[in-house]
Amino acid sequence: MSRSAYYRKEVRNYKWESRRKVFVDGILDFLFMLFGISMITGVLLFVLSYWNYY
């Protein structure tokens, strides 16, 4: 394999790896955001229901 073909293969592999990393980071960010929103909503509902009964 020539040097330029090897370089093109490396660049293609790097682009694919970075695209996959961005995709996984997006999914993880979405899951953490969902978890955070659920926790905040749960705490607010608990406080409001506690405040309503006393």
Side-chain angles (χ1 to χ4, degrees):
M1 185 185 314
S2 69
R3 192 174 284 176
S4 61
Y6 181 74
Y7 177 73
R8 282 195 304 269
K9 186 178 177 186
E10 284 293 315
V11 168
R12 195 180 310 131
N13 190 28
Y14 175 74
K15 284 182 181 177
W16 186 80
E17 285 287 329
S18 63
R19 194 177 303 142
R20 189 179 71 171
K21 188 182 288 185
V22 166
F23 181 69
V24 170
D25 283 347
I27 288 177
L28 286 177
D29 284 344
F30 176 73
L31 289 176
F32 277 119
M33 184 183 67
L34 209 61
F35 178 73
I37 290 173
S38 302
M39 289 297 293
I40 291 170
T41 306
V43 168
L44 282 174
L45 286 174
F46 176 75
V47 167
L48 288 175
S49 66
Y50 185 80
W51 189 25
N52 198 14
Y53 287 125
Y54 290 102

